[in-house]
Every structure is written in structure tokens, then in C-alpha cells.
Amino acid sequence: MEPCLLHHHHHTTLTYPSPLSSPPPPPPSFKGFLFTRPISVVSSSSLHLTCRPIRRAKIKASAGVCSLNSPLEPRSLVGKFLSGVLQNHRQLFHVAVGEELKLLADDRDAAHARLILASDSDESLLHRRIAQLKENQCQVAVEDIMSLLIFYKFSEIRVPLIPKLSRCLYNGRLEILPSKDWELESIHNVEVLDMIREHVTTVTGLRAKSSVSESWATTKVRQFLLARIYVASILYGYFLKSVSLRYQLERNLSLDNHGHKTSLSYNDMCNGLKDTIFGRLSNMPSSVGKGLIRQEEELEDLKCYVMSFHPGSLQRCARLRSKEAVNLIESYSFALFNHEGSGSVEKDDEILTSFSSLKRLVLEAVAFGSFLWETEDYIDMLYKLKDN
């Protein structure tokens, strides 16, 4: 059911299959499918436009992402195609995503290669413009892919995303149902969950172990403040995902340093986290790596670990790694909180809502941030994202 109590004429039914484990790596290509799309190629004398065959599944992609109950619709042809795959051929979704990311990377690299080849020719300015346009097109497509991957992760835990808030508002009252608190909390380990509950209490005023009457009590909040809380909670979820992985890595390395066996080797852990915001550990010399490891007795719980950070480390862990992630958060929050037909999200209307709905909003945002971190890591293996 759509997570709104009111406006049932917007209702969209979404049936999720059984939750899947983490998706397998995409196969190298589709077999038996063929599609074509235009691409520019250059001769030594002039620019010619032609078509080359690419491998793409002939999958119906007519339905838009709005039927997936997401406030953000895809802007690119790739995004619309993958939206249809997710709706109609869910089992092929990750295969299609992997294929499209490789094609986007090839297109972007080819445009840059042509730019380099033509750098000394009369057409250098034209090729520079073409390369820039291709870069922009690929970036929009990758942001759509990032959004759909995050949606997929929410569907795995059977949580429908909150639609545009204007569809959940009636006479200034906002209610978001179902709450889905358990499902949204289930993706985090105990230490992270304790910090998330403190965050919920801080931003909403709702105690961690509140009664039913307290949860359904109402409060007034400015809509612009609500948008800022949502974005801040996305960033907090992203930060917690980053810092918890760093904490686990440091703790495992500390145990290994004391002669204990770990579930992963040093190289396995470093390779899995090679592009995290705390640095490329796989390229560090051993003498530098030892400086990261603390003594086992100094490793306390996650909260104490975070509080011990110096400002530089804290800033690195809190910073988004890619430009695409920055753009996605901006466009997603705008789509969620912007009044339909309005030109700005910066509405200062006061709305009435329950603490339960506020908690639902915050927990979704934190989960969004955590999924965003994982999605960046997955995409970056196939398509190099822009550093932020």
C-alpha cells in the first residue's frame, strides 16, 4: 500500500517478491538480444553520425517509475528503460544495470578518446563540446541508475518509499502509513541502531521507548524544516555506514595484529573497501597501515569510536564521495518536498503531523543514506564516478 493515509485516488499497489540476498555480480552480457542507438564517430576529415549495434535486452519499459511509488522520475532513456525492467522483469534488473553501466562507461571513454585524437585538428572545439555533452548525459543516466538501485534495496525489505508529500497532505495534516519501523531498523546492526535511535530522538523529540499515545500525538512543523531534517538524516545514514565499516575494519585488523584469526584477510577487506572515503587502504604501505590500527583494548563501542575522531577524520567520513550522490540527494529531496506545480521546495507552510510520521520520515532517510553508500560502491566498480 502507498505510505499515505489519505488521497486514496493516488493509490498504487506494489507487490514485492521474497527479499533477496545481496545481488550477484552482473554477467558480462545479455545473450540473444540486440538493440541499436546512435553514437558519433569521427573520420580523419570530418564528423559523421552513424549507428553501431549495442547489446541491450528487448524488454518492455513503458511504465514510468512513478508506478514504482518513487517521488523521483527518471530523466534519461536509460533510467526509463531500467524502470520498466524493474517493474516487468525484476529478475533481470541487476543484469540490465550492469550492462548499462558498462555501455555508459564505454561511451564516455570513447568520447574522451576522440577528443584526444582530435586535439590538434580544426575540430577540437567540436569534439570538446561533444565530450562534455556525453559526460552530462552519462551523469544523468547514472544518477537515475543510482536512484533505482536504492529503490530496489527498499523493495527487498518490503518498504514502499514515501511519495511526494503533497499527495500525503490533506487540509495541512500529514500522515505516513504504514510506519514500517521494524523493517527500516532491521538493516542496521545493534550499535548503529542505538545511534540512529538517538538521532530520531534528537530531531523529532520522540523518546526511543515511547508509548502508543506518545507516538500518535501531533505536532506542528514547518515544511522547509522537514525537508532539511530529511536531507540531514540521509547524510547521517551515509556517515554511519561509512564509519561503521571503518570501525569494523580497524577492529578486525587489531585482532589480526594480536594473532587472532579474522573472517577476512587483510587484502580481502581492503579490496572490498578500496574506494571508501577514509582512503585507499589497499595502496597503503604496511608502515602506514599500522598507524591506523589501535590496540585491542582501546577499541570501544562504535559511539565512543566516533567521538574519538579528530575533526579531519570526521569530515572525511561525513563527506559524500561522488558528485552523482550530491546531485541525487538534491533532486530527490526536491521531488519529495516540492509542491506539484511549484517552482521551489522552500515552502514554509506549517503542517500538522504525528510523531510516528516524523519517525517514519527520518528512518527512511537514514536507510536511504546507508543504501546510497552501498550503491556508490557497486556502481563505481563498473563506472567511475566523479569525485566530490
Side-chain angles (χ1 to χ4, degrees):
M1 97 181 254
E2 185 172 318
C4 295
L5 180 62
L6 303 168
H7 284 236
H8 292 289
H9 57 279
H10 292 290
H11 178 77
T12 300
T13 301
L14 178 61
T15 303
Y16 297 125
S18 300
L20 304 175
S21 58
S22 57
S29 64
F30 286 109
K31 293 184 179 180
F33 297 110
L34 189 64
F35 225 72
T36 60
R37 65 177 175 182
I39 170 177
S40 57
V41 295
V42 179
S43 68
S44 59
S45 58
S46 61
L47 179 69
H48 299 281
L49 294 180
T50 184
C51 293
R52 68 171 170 86
I54 65 169
R55 301 168 71 84
R56 176 175 289 173
K58 287 185 177 179
I59 298 174
K60 182 179 178 182
S62 58
V65 76
C66 56
S67 62
L68 293 175
N69 197 31
S70 170
L72 184 63
E73 298 182 13
R75 296 173 292 165
S76 66
L77 291 176
V78 170
K80 292 174 183 177
F81 165 74
L82 290 174
S83 171
V85 175
L86 182 53
Q87 292 172 80
N88 302 308
H89 302 275
R90 181 184 173 93
Q91 72 279 8
L92 295 177
F93 176 65
H94 278 91
V95 178
V97 166
E99 199 69 13
E100 289 299 329
L101 286 171
K102 291 174 185 177
L103 289 171
L104 289 169
D106 289 345
D107 283 353
R108 183 180 63 175
D109 294 344
H112 281 289
R114 291 192 295 272
L115 172 61
I116 294 172
L117 288 174
S119 59
D120 296 328
S121 71
D122 296 336
E123 297 173 343
S124 60
L125 292 178
L126 176 59
H127 284 287
R128 185 177 300 278
R129 178 59 177 160
I130 291 173
Q132 185 60 53
L133 287 173
K134 178 58 66 176
E135 182 83 24
N136 293 339
Q137 290 172 0
C138 290
Q139 182 171 325
V140 172
V142 168
E143 289 168 17
D144 283 345
I145 292 174
M146 193 174 284
S147 176
L148 288 169
L149 284 169
I150 291 172
F151 175 87
Y152 183 93
K153 286 182 174 292
F154 274 102
S155 73
E156 284 189 299
I157 59 172
R158 301 176 182 270
V159 174
L161 286 167
I162 299 170
K164 289 179 180 290
L165 252 64
S166 58
R167 300 181 182 181
C168 300
L169 282 167
Y170 183 73
N171 290 337
R173 173 71 182 261
L174 170 69
E175 284 300 341
I176 304 170
L177 290 174
S179 62
K180 294 289 185 179
D181 291 356
W182 184 88
E183 290 86 348
L184 289 167
E185 291 178 345
S186 67
I187 66 173
H188 309 289
N189 63 42
V190 175
E191 290 181 310
V192 171
L193 187 56
D194 286 341
M195 297 181 69
I196 291 172
R197 286 170 175 166
E198 288 185 11
H199 173 72
V200 170
T201 299
T202 300
V203 299
T204 68
L206 184 66
R207 295 184 299 107
K209 295 182 179 180
S210 55
S211 65
V212 174
S213 59
E214 289 174 327
S215 296
W216 284 103
T218 57
T219 184
K220 290 183 178 181
V221 61
R222 296 285 180 183
Q223 189 165 337
F224 182 52
L225 177 60
L226 204 60
R228 294 185 64 179
I229 289 174
Y230 192 86
V231 172
S233 297
I234 289 177
L235 297 176
Y236 188 64
Y238 185 97
F239 164 76
L240 286 179
K241 184 66 177 182
S242 171
V243 76
S244 63
L245 288 173
R246 173 172 174 163
Y247 171 70
Q248 292 297 330
L249 175 63
E250 189 168 328
R251 184 166 64 179
N252 287 337
L253 292 177
S254 178
L255 289 173
D256 190 53
N257 197 44
H258 281 73
H260 297 281
K261 289 186 177 181
T262 57
S263 57
L264 293 174
S265 69
Y266 178 84
N267 288 333
D268 288 337
M269 289 185 290
C270 289
N271 289 334
L273 302 171
K274 62 178 179 179
D275 287 325
T276 59
I277 52 182
F278 53 87
R280 297 175 179 269
L281 294 179
S282 57
N283 295 326
M284 284 184 175
S286 58
S287 59
V288 177
K290 291 178 181 178
L292 178 71
I293 305 170
R294 303 181 186 184
Q295 297 300 314
E296 183 179 3
E297 59 270 18
E298 294 178 1
L299 286 176
E300 303 179 37
D301 60 26
L302 180 61
K303 183 178 179 180
C304 294
Y305 176 77
V306 172
M307 292 177 66
S308 69
F309 274 26
H310 62 76
S313 296
L314 199 62
Q315 186 177 11
R316 285 193 297 274
C317 285
R319 184 175 181 176
L320 297 171
R321 292 177 289 175
S322 69
K323 292 286 187 183
E324 289 84 355
V326 174
N327 293 340
L328 177 60
I329 292 176
E330 181 179 353
S331 58
Y332 192 89
S333 60
F334 184 87
L336 179 60
F337 292 95
N338 182 32
H339 280 293
E340 293 176 310
S342 170
S344 174
V345 71
E346 296 186 8
K347 291 287 181 181
D348 202 27
D349 302 332
E350 190 174 64
I351 58 177
L352 184 69
T353 187
S354 66
F355 286 100
S356 176
S357 293
L358 285 178
K359 182 180 180 181
R360 167 70 168 85
L361 197 76
V362 172
L363 287 177
E364 176 183 293
V366 172
F368 190 106
S370 180
F371 291 154
L372 176 60
W373 196 100
E374 295 175 354
T375 298
E376 267 188 317
D377 212 42
Y378 171 72
I379 290 176
D380 204 43
M381 292 187 296
L382 300 173
Y383 178 98
K384 180 60 180 175
L385 297 172
K386 288 184 178 179
D387 293 334
N388 180 29

